[in-house]
């Protein structure tokens, strides 16, 4: 079954409308920041704040946390939340709009929640243009982000995110945008972590301000890193020494991949990133940057991100 409604309501009212007994609840552990918690029978879980449609936790059935949150994250209207999976739209990075656009700093609404079975539950969030966004970016749009959490014995715990952008300009009036799901993956030790799937790709190194080609089959982060890899393959993995399963994620329509770690010096200069947090995360982001999306009126763009884990033994 599914439940759907729109409008501004309290967390308690939202929970009455969309809550699914034993599986989906909406609470407010921080004032004015309603949070959706999904729990499956397998033990798989995730947490999503309506502010920014921001996922802050994804735990597998074994209890492993896949997503990193900054120990100094600030929850404040008008500021992005550090860590988790920020939604970047309609501008990646710096430019004419605020850094990384405005979607991550807006309150989204709930479209619907769905119960498929005790090991498959989903929720869909919406963001429409409003007076504030139109002052920054004069376009009518509808963003939709669905989170589907499921577990099977074969695939284990899986988080699937489908992000859609609709151009709702009434007259023929296309718009262009860049976007990303800015995923902070939680790891035990950045010095014992490698990323595979990027070998041979062209990238732009924002730290060195130069273009280069990835020569390594397994990328190891050894200092401040901020790179945009163009036209990356759909499947990327993150592997750690002494960890028996690797994080894997697949992408559809997100052509580029961003790899970022602030490293020690920069982490200390950032008010919302703990001094030692850099050791325990790597951002590997699903993005569209190199070739911005050109979207005609009444057209929709969709991108998909799927995150899971694979036991190392079965991958050999």
């Amino acid at each position: 079954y599914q439940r759907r409604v729109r409008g501004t309501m309290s967390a308690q009212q939202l929970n009455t409308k969309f809550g699914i007994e034993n599986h989906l609840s909406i609470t407010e552990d921080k004032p004015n920041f309603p949070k959706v918690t999904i729990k499956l029978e397998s033990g798989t879980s995730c947490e999503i704040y309506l502010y920014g449609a921001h996922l802050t936790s994804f735990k597998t059935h074994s209890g492993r946390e896949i997503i990193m949150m900054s120990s100094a994250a600030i929850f404040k209207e008008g500021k992005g939340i550090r860590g988790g999976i920020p939604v970047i739209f309609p501008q990646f990075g710096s430019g004419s709009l605020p850094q990384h656009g405005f979607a991550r700093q807006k309150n989204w609404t709930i479209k619907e929640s769905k119960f498929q079975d005790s090991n498959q539950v989903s929720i869909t969030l919406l963001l429409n243009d409003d007076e504030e966004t139109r002052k920054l970016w004069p376009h009518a749009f509808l963003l939709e982000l669905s989170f589907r959490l499921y577990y099977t014995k074969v695939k284990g715990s899986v988080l699937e995110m489908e992000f859609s952008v609709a151009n709702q300009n009434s007259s023929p009036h296309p718009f262009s945008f860049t976007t990303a799901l800015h995923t902070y993956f939680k790891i035990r030790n950045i010095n014992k972590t490698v990323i595979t799937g990027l070998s041979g790709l062209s990238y732009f190194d924002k730290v060195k301000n130069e273009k280069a080609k990835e020569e390594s089959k397994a990328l190891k982060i050894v200092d401040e890193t901020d790179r945009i890899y163009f036209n990356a393959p759909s499947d990327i993995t993150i592997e750690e020494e002494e960890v028996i399963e690797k994080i894997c994620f697949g992408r559809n329509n997100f052509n580029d991949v961003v790899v970022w770690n602030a490293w020690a010096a920069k982490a200390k200069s950032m008010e919302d990133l703990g001094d030692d947090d850099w050791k325990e995360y790597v951002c590997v982001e699903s993005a569209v940057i190199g070739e911005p999306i050109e979207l005609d009126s009444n057209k929709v763009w969709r991108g998909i991100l799927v995150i899971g884990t694979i036991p190392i033994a079965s991958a050999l």
Side-chain angles (χ1 to χ4, degrees):
Y1 60 85
Q2 64 185 39
R3 300 176 179 181
R4 59 174 75 205
V5 77
R6 298 189 189 188
T8 303
M9 295 182 283
S10 68
Q12 186 175 2
Q13 290 171 320
L14 288 169
N15 192 60
T16 300
K17 290 286 184 181
F18 297 108
I20 299 171
E21 189 175 3
N22 299 322
H23 294 295
L24 190 152
S25 62
I26 302 167
T27 57
E28 199 169 285
D29 58 350
K30 303 180 191 306
N32 302 315
F33 286 88
K35 180 179 73 174
V36 177
T37 301
I38 299 176
K39 293 181 180 178
L40 305 182
E41 186 177 47
S42 63
T44 306
S45 68
C46 72
E47 297 179 356
I48 307 148
Y49 284 88
L50 297 190
Y51 181 73
H54 198 124
L55 184 135
T56 55
S57 174
F58 166 38
K59 289 183 180 178
T60 68
H61 59 286
S62 67
R64 180 184 179 184
E65 177 61 77
I66 301 297
I67 300 299
M68 177 269 190
M69 278 295 292
S70 165
S71 62
I74 298 169
F75 286 76
K76 182 181 179 182
E77 291 273 350
K79 185 173 181 63
I81 301 169
R82 177 71 62 188
I85 307 184
V87 179
I88 308 305
F89 175 89
Q91 171 189 285
F92 181 89
S94 58
S96 59
L97 298 174
Q99 175 81 1
H100 285 331
F102 47 70
R104 65 187 182 132
Q105 298 172 6
K106 300 290 289 183
N107 287 304
W108 293 50
T109 57
I110 301 174
K111 176 185 179 182
E112 62 187 20
S113 62
K114 290 183 181 179
F115 175 86
Q116 204 73 26
D117 57 54
S118 61
N119 275 313
Q120 185 174 175
V121 175
S122 65
I123 191 164
T124 302
L125 306 184
L126 301 174
L127 181 69
N128 268 107
D129 60 282
D130 59 22
E131 188 176 351
E132 186 180 62
T133 67
R134 289 190 294 271
K135 285 179 180 178
L136 293 168
W137 197 63
H139 298 289
F141 65 84
L142 173 65
L143 307 185
E144 209 168 291
L145 182 57
S146 65
F147 300 83
R148 183 167 74 100
L149 191 67
Y150 67 93
Y151 169 83
T152 67
K153 288 184 178 180
V154 174
K155 293 186 176 181
S157 302
V158 180
L159 171 67
E160 181 179 296
M161 298 171 62
E162 181 172 334
F163 182 44
S164 69
V165 179
N167 181 340
Q168 296 191 325
N169 287 327
S170 55
S171 59
H173 191 182
F175 61 61
S176 66
F177 64 92
T178 51
T179 185
L181 296 176
H182 193 307
T183 310
Y184 288 71
F185 287 103
K186 185 175 180 62
I187 54 178
R188 294 183 186 181
N189 186 339
I190 188 66
N191 295 308
K192 296 183 177 182
T193 301
V194 294
I195 303 162
T196 60
L198 302 174
S199 180
L201 297 182
S202 298
Y203 68 87
F204 179 70
D205 190 322
K206 295 177 73 176
V207 176
K208 296 179 180 178
N209 193 31
E210 65 182 24
K211 294 179 180 179
K213 186 175 180 179
E214 186 55 64
E215 303 294 345
S216 60
K217 289 187 177 180
L219 174 65
K220 189 169 185 178
I221 309 297
V222 296
D223 54 16
E224 182 187 349
T225 300
D226 194 353
R227 300 176 177 179
I228 304 170
Y229 289 86
F230 301 105
N231 298 312
S234 60
D235 297 321
I236 308 289
T237 61
I238 301 169
E239 193 168 336
E240 303 175 64
E241 291 179 24
E242 300 163 7
V243 176
I244 61 171
E245 59 185 9
K246 58 184 177 180
I247 298 170
C248 60
F249 65 97
R251 307 165 353 273
N252 182 33
N253 258 2
F254 287 105
N255 297 333
D256 307 322
V257 166
V258 179
V259 177
W260 178 68
N261 183 286
W263 215 249
K266 190 165 187 175
K268 289 182 178 179
S269 72
M270 299 170 66
E271 67 167 346
D272 60 351
L273 186 64
D275 288 355
D276 292 324
D277 285 351
W278 63 275
K279 299 175 184 177
E280 297 181 351
Y281 86 89
V282 62
C283 280
V284 189
E285 311 163 29
S286 303
V288 180
I289 303 169
E291 297 181 13
I293 302 296
E294 296 281 344
L295 195 63
D296 288 332
S297 301
N298 302 312
K299 297 295 184 180
V300 179
W301 173 90
R302 287 184 175 86
I304 296 174
L305 169 63
V306 182
I307 303 173
T309 59
I310 301 176
I312 297 295
S314 70
L316 296 177

